[in-house]
Amino acid sequence: AVAALDRARGRLILARDRLGEKPLYWTSTQDGIAFASEIKALIAAGLPSDRALRPEALDAYLAFTYIPAPWTIVRQVHKGPWGHCVSIDVGIEPGRPGSGGQASWNLARYWKLPASDGTQAEPAAGKTDATPSPLLGDALAGVHDAAFRALVAD
């Protein structure tokens, strides 16, 4: 991950690596922004002050055994997805860092996994990244068949 502060615009840019090798978490406070590679580092620093759980993240964890970005189990802590950067409006006034209070943020993808022909993989017309690929159905059918075969006794 990398961080860069644009003082002229009062903006902090955080970027997670392209393949998600290292995590990136952030939270905003009245004093500014804190970011780390682990949630426990933020909590050890006493952040965030409100550690309420995010119910939808708990649901996701119980259903899928992971929590998709940008959610975390802690409502006030956010996680950067791989290949994305987050622009955080920190509202810096000259001579008074972190003066903006609760910061607003915008998440943007800066990298996509290249397609097998070396071009950037783009969704088909009218489809978004959230639209399942037809290959997903084939993969799920294969997993279902393999699981079923594993349940058959000798």
Side-chain angles (χ1 to χ4, degrees):
V2 66
L5 180 61
D6 181 347
R7 287 187 183 272
R9 292 189 176 111
R11 195 175 298 153
L12 176 67
I13 308 295
L14 301 174
R16 187 168 177 193
D17 62 285
R18 295 185 300 177
L19 297 177
E21 289 291 320
K22 300 293 182 189
L24 173 63
Y25 298 94
W26 74 91
T27 187
S28 61
T29 70
Q30 290 295 81
D31 296 324
I33 303 295
F35 56 94
S37 60
E38 295 184 359
I39 291 178
K40 62 183 173 183
L42 296 173
I43 291 173
L47 303 169
S49 57
D50 176 9
R51 295 190 189 143
L53 296 182
R54 183 186 309 263
E56 55 272 4
L58 181 57
D59 288 346
Y61 181 77
L62 293 174
F64 309 117
T65 65
Y66 81 99
I67 300 171
W71 290 349
T72 68
I73 196 69
V74 180
R75 182 178 301 281
Q76 297 300 320
V77 176
H78 310 284
K79 174 174 53 176
W82 58 269
H84 282 68
C85 63
V86 61
S87 173
I88 304 171
D89 178 11
V90 293
I92 294 175
E93 296 173 14
R96 195 167 165 217
S99 60
Q102 292 298 100
S104 64
W105 53 273
N106 182 38
L107 195 60
R109 177 183 289 175
Y110 72 85
W111 188 81
K112 286 186 178 182
L113 186 64
S116 60
D117 62 3
T119 61
Q120 287 289 334
E122 294 291 333
K127 292 190 174 186
T128 65
D129 287 345
T131 304
S133 163
L135 297 176
L136 180 60
D138 294 341
L140 290 175
V143 169
H144 179 268
D145 291 344
F148 183 75
R149 283 192 302 271
L151 293 174
V152 176
D154 292 329

